[in-house]
């Protein structure tokens, strides 16, 4: 088929690779002037690296491995919970990696035929007939295709045009960065989730001495932005136990990115005629379970698989995509949307045995995954 993909983020590039490998004629349209390499780092769990493997994207040296995810109390650094996430990696045969987003984007784009991605193309709407769909851009041009994939993010224009389904604000916001910090986390395979009444801080090794860090705190969309995000973070979290203070000391305002959490209810279906949703356009969720990129990769793999197992029948292929993805995406969105991991529960966490949490995490990954369930 002739396929137009709107958006060249992780989901858009991944589905482009998958569909080109299956022989489709693919063009990807990105509103930015070049590949978007902003964003700090991303955590790829076994389901995400399984998709990279299926797409032929090398991942063994991507960023840094994550074997343990510890939750500690911010005020004194006491360990509340240890999750042996390596157990899931061993079970499914695919590792967990934390990597700069730019490197994941680079690897997904590498090897695409020249001219696959068209830049500076901002979609403003889509219309369709029984035979084709047409996407209009803000420069007055348009493109027609047999299938249009809306991979244009949480504020997807195509989703709102076709489905009328805007996202809504959640209760927290994130300030994040990717910084070289001389702390043990940068050299280890152990990630930290530091929690307290003030909010939550996450610290993960990201390779080459880099630390992926983020701070979550309650946030109202009408709240004004601080003049200095770093000053605000130091005032709120600077008294926390090591290594939070060291991380803040190594950062500067130019490195900090802000985004308010948003969410939406996953609908009954993601396709209307010849338009289908993928990634954040289909299931915007807070980043609290670190599944956003993984779920976009899952979508890309499952959409290509659906079209492959139902050849020549677009409606059946899209229905197969929805059948295999909706349940896992709904569960992921529901848990992420609760923002439970951002909420301070020091009395509850030590009561849950580490082995129980480890087993749940292992089971959870398969519950929210298509590729780990269906198999590549």
């Amino acid at each position: 088929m002739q396929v137009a993909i709107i958006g060249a983020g992780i989901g858009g590039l991944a589905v482009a690779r998958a569909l080109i490998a299956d022989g489709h004629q693919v063009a990807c349209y990105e509103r930015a002037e070049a590949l978007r390499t902003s964003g700090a780092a991303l955590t790829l769990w076994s389901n995400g690296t399984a998709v990279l493997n299926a797409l032929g994207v090398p991942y063994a040296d991507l960023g840094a491995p994550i074997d343990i995810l510890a939750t500690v109390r911010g005020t004194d650094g006491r360990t509340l919970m240890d999750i042996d996430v390596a157990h899931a990696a061993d079970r499914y045969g695919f590792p967990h990696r934390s990597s700069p987003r730019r490197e994941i984007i680079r690897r997904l784009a590498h090897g695409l035929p020249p001219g696959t991605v068209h830049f500076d193309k901002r979609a403003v709407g889509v219309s369709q007939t029984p035979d084709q769909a047409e996407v209009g851009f803000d420069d007055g041009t348009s493109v027609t295709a047999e299938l249009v994939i809306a991979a244009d993010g949480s504020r997807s224009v195509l989703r709102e045009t076709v489905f009328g389904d805007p996202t809504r604000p959640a209760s927290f916001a994130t300030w994040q960065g990717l910084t070289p910090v001389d702390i043990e986390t940068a050299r280890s395979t152990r990630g930290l989730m530091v929690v307290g009444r003030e909010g939550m801080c996450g610290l993960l090794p990201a390779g080459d001495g880099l630390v992926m860090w983020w701070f979550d705190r309650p946030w109202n969309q009408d709240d004004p932005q601080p003049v200095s995000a770093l000053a605000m973070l130091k005032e709120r979290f600077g008294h926390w136990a090591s290594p939070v203070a060291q991380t803040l000391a190594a950062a500067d305002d130019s490195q900090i990115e802000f985004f308010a959490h948003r969410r939406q209810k996953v609908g009954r279906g993601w396709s209307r005629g010849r338009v289908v949703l993928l990634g954040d356009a289909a299931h915007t969720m807070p980043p609290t379970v670190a599944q956003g990129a993984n779920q976009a990769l899952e979508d890309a793999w499952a959409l290509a698989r659906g079209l492959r197992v139902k050849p020549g029948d677009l409606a059946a292929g899209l229905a197969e995509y929805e059948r295999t993805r909706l349940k896992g995406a709904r569960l992921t969105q529901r848990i992420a949307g609760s923002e439970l991991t951002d909420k301070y529960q020091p009395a509850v966490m030590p009561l849950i045995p580490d082995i129980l949490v480890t087993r749940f995490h292992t089971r959870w990954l398969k519950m929210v995954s298509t590729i780990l369930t269906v198999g590549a």
Side-chain angles (χ1 to χ4, degrees), residues 33-339:
E33 296 180 356
L35 287 175
R36 289 178 288 116
T37 55
S38 61
L42 297 172
T43 305
L44 296 177
W45 300 111
S46 291
N47 56 329
T49 53
V51 173
L52 293 185
N53 180 71
L55 297 178
V57 177
Y59 59 85
D61 62 340
L62 193 60
I66 306 296
D67 293 331
I68 299 290
L69 194 59
T71 301
V72 303
R73 189 159 59 186
T75 51
D76 59 14
R78 182 168 69 90
T79 299
L80 301 174
M81 181 185 296
D82 263 347
I83 307 176
D84 180 8
V85 296
H87 181 267
D90 292 341
R91 171 76 175 272
Y92 301 124
F94 296 100
H96 311 311
R97 310 286 302 189
S98 173
S99 168
R101 181 182 181 277
R102 59 179 178 265
E103 181 61 18
I104 301 172
I105 288 288
R106 187 188 71 79
R107 295 191 186 198
L108 286 169
H110 181 72
L112 291 177
T116 298
V117 184
H118 304 262
F119 295 106
D120 201 17
K121 302 294 286 186
R122 181 182 294 272
V124 294
V126 61
S127 60
Q128 57 182 314
T129 68
D131 299 320
Q132 64 182 19
E134 181 176 9
V135 180
F137 300 100
D138 66 353
D139 59 5
T141 63
S142 64
V143 63
T144 59
E146 295 169 87
L147 175 64
V148 170
I149 301 173
D152 51 342
S154 62
R155 298 181 183 271
S156 169
V157 171
L158 269 61
R159 181 191 64 229
E160 296 194 19
T161 300
V162 178
F163 295 80
D165 184 19
T167 61
R168 63 184 188 277
S171 302
F172 283 76
T174 294
W175 288 260
Q176 66 176 12
L178 183 65
T179 308
V181 189
D182 187 18
I183 56 176
E184 182 60 30
T185 302
R187 299 180 289 273
S188 73
T189 61
R190 179 182 174 92
L192 293 179
M193 306 286 283
V194 190
V195 296
R197 298 187 186 282
E198 297 84 353
M200 191 273 287
C201 169
L203 300 167
L204 291 176
D208 297 325
L210 295 171
V211 172
M212 168 189 176
W213 58 263
W214 69 96
F215 290 86
D216 288 0
R217 53 160 288 193
W219 183 259
N220 185 295
Q221 64 174 341
D222 298 322
D223 291 346
Q225 281 286 338
V227 175
S228 167
L230 183 59
M232 179 275 291
L233 294 174
K234 286 181 175 179
E235 179 180 1
R236 192 175 183 93
F237 299 98
H239 65 285
W240 277 15
S242 175
V244 174
Q246 293 95 315
T247 301
L248 287 171
D252 64 65
D253 272 307
S254 67
Q255 300 169 332
I256 300 175
E257 297 180 327
F258 165 83
F259 62 92
H261 296 185
R262 300 188 70 82
R263 59 188 170 197
Q264 70 182 118
K265 183 177 180 181
V266 176
R268 294 184 178 180
W270 293 336
S271 62
R272 294 287 187 277
R274 294 181 176 273
V275 179
V276 64
L277 305 179
L278 183 146
D280 283 347
H283 41 67
T284 297
M285 64 185 75
T288 50
V289 293
Q291 270 289 327
N294 297 277
Q295 291 294 300
L297 289 168
E298 290 262 12
D299 292 349
W301 180 83
L303 177 53
R305 174 189 173 276
L307 298 176
R308 192 184 313 124
V309 300
K310 302 290 184 180
D313 189 337
L314 177 60
L318 296 180
E320 176 69 7
Y321 163 56
E322 293 172 334
R323 183 189 70 80
T324 58
R325 284 297 301 130
L326 279 169
K327 183 178 179 180
R330 282 196 185 110
L331 178 58
T332 310
Q333 197 283 333
R334 190 179 306 124
I335 300 300
S338 72
E339 297 177 292

Side-chain angles (χ1 to χ4, degrees), residues 355-368:
I355 190 170
L356 186 62
V357 183
T358 294
R359 287 174 178 172
F360 174 78
H361 177 266
T362 301
R363 183 167 176 243
W364 147 266
L365 282 182
K366 192 167 185 179
M367 290 168 65
V368 302

